Amino acid sequence: MDFSQFFTKATRVAPYPYQCRLACGPDADPARSETLCHNSECRSQLINIPTGLGKTAAVVLAWLWNRAGRENGEWKRENGERSAAVSVWPRRLVYCLPMRTLVEQTQTEVHKWLQHLLNNAANLGISGQARQDLEWLHEYSPVILMGGEDAGEWDIHPERPAVLIGTQDMLLSRALNRGYGMSRYRWPMHFGLLNNDALWVMDETQLMGVGVETSAQLDGFRAREERRTHGSCPTWWMSATLEQTRLATVDAPAGGWPSVTLSESERALGKAHDLIEAKKAVSPCPVTLAPANKASYAKELAALINERHQQGPLTLVVVNRVNRAREIYEALTRGKNPPRDPKQVALIHSRFRPMDRARHTELLFGEGDRIVIATQAVEAGVDVSARLLITELAPWSSLVQRIGRCNRQAKISDAEVLWVDVQPKDEKDDLQLPYTKAELDQARAAIREITNACPRILGGIVVRETPVVRPVIRRRDLVDLFDTTPDLCGQDLDVSRYIRDGEDNDVQFFWREFEGDAPTDKAPPPQRSELCRVSIGEAAKFLGKADAWTWNPLDEKWTEAKRPRPGAVYLVSVASGGYHNDLGWTGDAKHKPTPHSPQEGTSESYAGNRLSFTRDWQTLADHSSLVVAEMKAIATALALNCEDAATLHIAAQWHDVGKAHDCFQAMLRLGPYQPEDPAGFYAKSKNPFSFRHDDRTRLGFRHELASALAWLLAGPPDAPERDLIAYLIAAHHGKVRLSIRSLPNEPVPGGEERLFARGIWHGDTLPSVTIGDITTPAVTLDLSFMKMGAGEHGPSWLARTVALRDRVGPFRLAYLETILRAADARASSVNAATTN
């Protein structure tokens, strides 16, 4: 098998030479045997290739070829011994995109390529471990990480290959340990997995704003931590218009990154040449946008669209604001020109619920006579080819990408681009938003000079971006983000300024009908089909006058919301309106959405112990043995070093010792079923999952804190990495990590004053427990570790964990934390009726 065959079987087309070089090394030539080889190095780099030349296929299949498309015998050798787990190329491919439309398209393509490769595995000579990896990827990848998606449990299989595709909001927030739209208690797992053994691909970077600088900083952080992390974690930036100076951030390498570009021969011959020379006539649009015609603009442009549209091929109209796209769509479908059949007109923007967006998206990617009115959601990467493109003036990089949607396959002889001049009154005029007047002036000057917008001509035009001062995350900021404990007011460090520019940070709304003045605490969490993205600026205006709530996992109830937080999810009363089924988000109280029927489910809770309730009773010893076995399997597959494997083994043995506490055992027995051995210690209960408590239990009791204290107080005093083991034990549910403090709703111990935190009271006792070949001694729990300064038992918990974080490094520490959590989750899923 060579890469050319591999690529052709996956995509049904032959690769370009640059695609072979990416997969097989800089000297690869598809006409010679070099494409039999694998690229010996996966490093951070820029991929500067004109639009329409298969960049997505290039990077995905280069990774597949080098990661899952070869036998173990060709993988990296360490100390002369072959390792089945350590490859030159990372285990996870993280494909980051600026908008969800691109995510959905990329998902479809990757799944198709995986299917084709699996169907042809025998012909390609893919067997053994390589075939097993391909089968796993086909069944469980690509994993989609964007608002409202159920990403499944990819994070409990750290040893498996994975393709993760998501928006920059979802992926960068996870890389910063503040994952949007997910349980806060799983933040560290994604932080660990996305910063170890992963290849990041940042696609369509011209739309990412500050996300570009953040990705460069993260790449620099990971490069400096490389000796302390598991596997490499490089970044590939892809764009035909990226200013390389934006990647020259303070922690980026001094020499910059190498680039992958088309060779002169590729530009001169073959299909690449045809695409680069694809003609697109360019001229100013007769309709302009200025303060004088702001009110009539939508009707004027709709009339022009009706006049210039030719029946048969696609007409694509791209405007800069969602409200203008809605107005033009309404003028076309409800106007008097006469109105167009709505079945032939699509409205594409990012402010739809998925179910409502489906019809419009289907029309966009369909065939035949159709008109599509869109925002920047189709600006880049969307694989459509229009005969007529009408676009509002935008920054030059955006215009280049929009023009790339016209005659994309070089098959239309009369392709045409009309650009609408946007003429704001001054720098404060909102007509120019979301751009600046200076950006529009630069673009206008450039596009006026051309009559043909073929990629070759566009590539030769240099328009320097106006310098923008953006916030740059520093290593100290990243270290602070390692602590996931909210502050005393229940707030978290805000990472939105590192993810998107200005007000381009989103929240998510879903609409429900309910009885009474507020939703009940039993209201099911939202499903993906219910969620609609809304900019934080519009959300702030809307929440001030709407009936809306957000879920509080500590108090386990819906609390009224008046101020939005980036990445948060809000329940809105249908009576408050703000959404139209055909138009998407409008913010208009008169527009009432049709509520979707909620599915069963329970919102996350700090006090929840869902995986402790299964179909049958399971002893503490049996469960712990299963966790130890899972841990050994993961450590072997990952080829962890002996020290890490031994540390995790001890942590797995001790991780649930705290379940022997009377409070936890009493909680398991709340319900109709009782174990055969009333005196035994159990980890799992046959009773149904419940949040109920009685006078024998405590709200918010965390058994993992009891386990960690028991280890520090009664574990072997000469054991290596005692503090690391204690941290891993405490963190195995993500709810007790760097600090220990009581929570606002905790019950206070009666009688004499004593320390208490997370349901543990100073002086509580744990009995002796036998787990496998060890027996833990009985121990009296001491909470003096939560005090500042050194005490009877040495440094405080905070001093120990901060020192540990700085010594081990945040990336590696989170990765080890994730491995124990994965082993525990997998062991708990055996015979489990529900998942956490």
Side-chain angles (χ1 to χ4, degrees):
M1 177 180 60
D2 64 26
F3 178 71
S4 293
Q5 294 172 321
F6 184 83
F7 188 98
T8 303
K9 290 295 185 183
T11 65
R12 303 294 192 259
V13 296
Y16 296 119
Y18 92 86
Q19 293 169 326
C20 294
R21 295 197 300 274
L22 197 60
C24 306
D27 299 323
D29 183 342
R32 302 202 307 269
S33 62
E34 279 86 351
T35 56
L36 290 169
C37 305
H38 295 88
N39 199 335
S40 61
E41 184 178 14
C42 183
R43 58 182 179 175
S44 295
Q45 59 188 335
L46 312 182
I47 302 176
N48 190 346
I49 302 293
T51 184
L53 291 177
K55 293 190 291 294
T56 301
V59 300
V60 172
L61 293 170
W63 175 81
L64 270 173
W65 165 253
N66 284 283
R67 179 69 229 182
R70 57 177 166 177
E71 288 299 315
N72 290 344
E74 296 180 82
W75 289 9
K76 182 179 178 181
R77 294 177 179 271
E78 292 203 343
N79 301 323
E81 298 295 329
R82 178 173 64 81
S83 168
V86 181
S87 169
V88 177
W89 284 60
R91 195 175 309 270
R92 284 170 288 281
L93 176 65
V94 184
Y95 204 109
C96 184
L97 291 151
M99 54 189 65
R100 63 184 305 137
T101 304
L102 303 181
V103 171
E104 292 164 343
Q105 178 179 290
T106 305
Q107 173 192 20
T108 300
E109 292 298 299
V110 172
H111 189 270
K112 179 178 67 178
W113 298 333
L114 289 170
Q115 180 69 65
H116 290 168
L117 288 171
L118 193 58
N119 291 343
N120 291 277
N123 294 334
L124 291 169
I126 300 175
S127 61
Q129 183 64 48
R131 183 181 180 104
Q132 292 177 30
D133 285 348
L134 193 59
E135 290 172 345
W136 176 271
L137 285 167
H138 178 260
E139 184 172 359
Y140 297 106
S141 288
V143 176
I144 302 304
L145 294 166
M146 63 181 182
E149 285 286 347
D150 179 8
E153 295 194 325
W154 67 273
D155 50 6
I156 67 171
H157 298 282
E159 80 280 22
R160 296 284 194 174
V163 179
L164 311 170
I165 307 174
T167 58
Q168 71 186 82
D169 307 73
M170 298 298 153
L171 288 172
L172 288 178
S173 63
R174 283 160 170 75
L176 296 175
N177 211 16
R178 289 297 183 276
Y180 290 173
M182 65 177 293
S183 169
R184 65 181 303 114
Y185 307 120
R186 289 181 92 121
W187 286 350
M189 298 182 73
H190 290 201
F191 176 74
L193 293 175
L194 294 179
N195 288 299
N196 291 269
D197 206 4
L199 168 60
W200 278 74
V201 176
M202 307 295 292
D203 196 3
E204 307 298 353
T205 52
Q206 75 283 349
L207 297 178
M208 289 186 172
V210 72
V212 172
E213 284 83 357
T214 297
S215 67
Q217 282 294 96
L218 283 170
D219 188 78
F221 298 154
R222 291 190 290 255
R224 294 186 180 190
E225 294 271 334
E226 191 168 7
R227 293 186 178 180
R228 299 198 291 183
T229 57
H230 185 85
S232 64
C233 199
T235 306
W236 292 358
W237 292 272
M238 296 203 303
S239 176
T241 56
L242 176 65
E243 285 278 352
Q244 295 192 25
T245 54
R246 290 187 56 194
L247 296 176
T249 56
V250 63
D251 288 292
W257 289 272
S259 296
V260 176
T261 59
L262 293 182
S263 65
E264 290 301 320
S265 60
E266 285 176 282
R267 293 179 176 275
L269 299 170
K271 185 179 178 182
H273 170 267
D274 294 341
L275 292 174
I276 292 171
E277 295 292 339
K279 184 178 179 181
K280 308 167 191 183
V282 180
S283 60
C285 181
V287 176
T288 61
L289 175 60
N293 72 329
K294 181 177 179 180
S296 60
Y297 171 73
K299 292 180 180 179
E300 293 174 14
L301 194 59
L304 178 75
I305 294 166
N306 275 320
E307 175 188 335
R308 302 295 288 269
H309 172 71
Q310 291 186 10
Q311 188 170 357
L314 167 67
T315 290
L316 177 62
V317 182
V318 185
V319 298
N320 299 340
R321 302 288 284 178
V322 173
N323 64 327
R324 288 206 288 271
R326 287 196 304 259
E327 290 169 1
I328 296 167
Y329 174 81
E330 289 188 281
L332 280 171
T333 58
R334 303 177 186 180
K336 300 177 181 179
N337 286 324
R340 288 267 175 185
D341 183 352
K343 294 181 180 179
Q344 294 181 315
V345 183
L347 175 63
I348 303 293
H349 59 71
S350 60
R351 309 308 186 194
F352 271 111
R353 297 183 300 192
M355 185 178 297
D356 301 327
R357 187 177 62 246
R359 180 191 71 81
H360 297 282
T361 303
E362 184 178 356
L363 193 62
L364 170 67
F365 293 111
E367 298 289 340
D369 188 32
R370 65 204 193 279
I371 298 172
V372 175
I373 312 301
T375 61
Q376 296 91 329
V378 299
E379 187 169 293
V382 176
D383 192 11
V384 295
S385 185
R387 189 205 71 82
L388 173 63
L389 171 73
I390 302 175
T391 174
E392 291 183 348
L393 190 66
W396 180 248
S397 61
S398 294
L399 282 180
V400 170
Q401 296 298 330
R402 295 179 189 186
I403 292 171
R405 306 318 114 197
C406 179
N407 195 18
R408 186 172 174 82
Q409 286 134 17
K411 296 179 180 179
I412 303 172
S413 60
D414 61 342
E416 184 179 10
V417 176
L418 298 178
W419 57 276
V420 177
D421 197 2
V422 180
Q423 302 171 347
K425 181 179 179 181
D426 52 37
E427 288 81 359
K428 298 180 180 180
D429 192 338
D430 62 4
L431 282 185
Q432 68 199 2
L433 296 177
Y435 309 119
T436 66
K437 187 175 183 298
E439 289 175 318
L440 299 184
D441 290 344
Q442 286 180 315
R444 184 186 300 108
I447 200 168
R448 276 177 173 169
E449 299 301 316
I450 62 173
T451 57
N452 177 13
C454 72
R456 175 183 57 80
I457 292 175
L458 293 181
I461 298 174
V462 178
V463 176
R464 296 296 178 189
E465 293 185 3
T466 302
V468 177
V469 178
R470 294 184 172 97
V472 175
I473 190 168
R474 303 300 299 269
R475 191 180 187 282
R476 180 174 180 178
D477 301 316
L478 182 81
V479 169
D480 288 342
L481 289 167
F482 186 78
D483 188 358
T484 53
T485 307
D487 63 24
L488 294 176
C489 297
Q491 302 298 314
D492 295 298
L493 292 174
D494 183 12
V495 297
S496 62
R497 62 188 181 277
Y498 302 127
I499 294 175
R500 285 194 185 269
D501 287 341
E503 293 190 353
D504 197 15
N505 292 292
D506 289 347
V507 301
Q508 295 184 88
F509 285 172
F510 67 103
W511 286 261
R512 293 268 179 87
E513 288 180 330
F514 43 80
E515 297 180 1
D517 297 330
T520 70
D521 297 342
K522 303 301 182 183
Q527 305 300 312
R528 185 208 165 198
S529 60
E530 295 181 88
L531 291 168
C532 174
R533 293 165 62 86
V534 178
S535 72
I536 197 163
E538 293 195 26
K541 296 176 184 177
F542 183 76
L543 288 180
K545 53 189 177 182
D547 293 327
W549 296 264
T550 185
W551 178 253
N552 185 323
L554 291 179
D555 294 334
E556 299 173 19
K557 65 180 182 181
W558 294 96
T559 57
E560 191 173 11
K562 291 300 179 184
R563 297 180 62 184
R565 178 175 55 83
V569 178
Y570 298 95
L571 187 161
V572 180
S573 168
V574 169
S576 294
Y579 185 91
H580 190 287
N581 293 348
D582 295 329
L583 304 176
W585 164 258
T586 65
D588 190 335
K590 296 192 297 292
H591 293 153
K592 314 293 184 185
T594 302
H596 293 177
S597 300
Q599 299 181 13
E600 292 299 320
T602 304
S603 298
E604 71 169 6
S605 166
Y606 179 84
N609 290 284
R610 185 179 296 274
L611 278 181
S612 293
F613 297 86
T614 64
R615 293 193 180 99
D616 209 346
W617 294 95
Q618 186 180 57
T619 66
L620 182 54
D622 287 345
H623 170 68
S624 298
S625 296
L626 285 173
V627 176
V628 169
E630 289 285 354
M631 175 61 66
K632 183 177 179 180
I634 295 173
T636 301
L638 289 173
L640 293 182
N641 62 53
C642 296
E643 293 78 9
D644 285 345
T647 297
L648 285 164
H649 177 82
I650 296 173
Q653 288 179 312
W654 282 75
H655 83 288
D656 270 357
V657 168
K659 286 186 175 180
H661 194 288
D662 289 344
C663 284
F664 195 90
Q665 293 299 306
M667 182 192 68
L668 295 181
R669 290 164 168 79
L670 287 173
Y673 303 104
Q674 298 300 313
E676 292 183 3
D677 179 9
F681 297 120
Y682 291 88
K684 308 293 177 182
S685 172
K686 188 177 181 179
N687 286 307
F689 175 63
S690 171
F691 285 117
R692 290 179 297 115
H693 296 270
D694 63 16
D695 56 5
R696 298 173 298 160
T697 67
R698 298 173 193 162
L699 180 66
F701 177 85
R702 299 312 314 171
H703 67 275
E704 60 269 33
L705 176 55
S707 302
L709 293 174
W711 163 256
L712 286 176
L713 294 165
D718 58 346
E721 295 290 3
R722 290 186 75 245
D723 288 348
L724 177 56
I725 292 169
Y727 173 82
L728 295 175
I729 292 170
H732 81 265
H733 285 295
K735 298 180 179 181
V736 181
R737 298 183 71 246
L738 257 65
S739 61
I740 301 174
R741 69 167 185 258
S742 57
L743 299 177
N745 59 353
E746 280 196 52
V748 179
E752 62 183 274
E753 291 187 6
R754 53 176 168 165
L755 297 172
F756 65 98
R758 316 300 173 98
I760 308 297
W761 295 355
H762 184 78
D764 284 350
T765 59
L766 284 183
S768 173
V769 178
T770 298
I771 297 171
D773 58 356
I774 69 165
T775 298
T776 67
V779 60
T780 299
L781 300 181
D782 189 333
L783 273 175
S784 61
F785 288 102
M786 66 188 290
K787 293 182 176 181
M788 300 296 291
E792 177 185 351
H793 303 289
S796 69
W797 177 265
L798 182 61
R800 292 169 187 264
T801 55
V802 168
L804 189 65
R805 176 201 64 193
D806 295 341
R807 176 172 62 85
V808 176
F811 296 145
R812 178 167 168 250
L813 186 54
Y815 188 70
L816 295 175
E817 180 179 346
T818 299
I819 293 173
L820 178 57
R821 293 190 65 177
D824 183 42
R826 281 153 60 164
S828 296
S829 66
V830 177
N831 295 324
T834 57
T835 58
N836 191 7

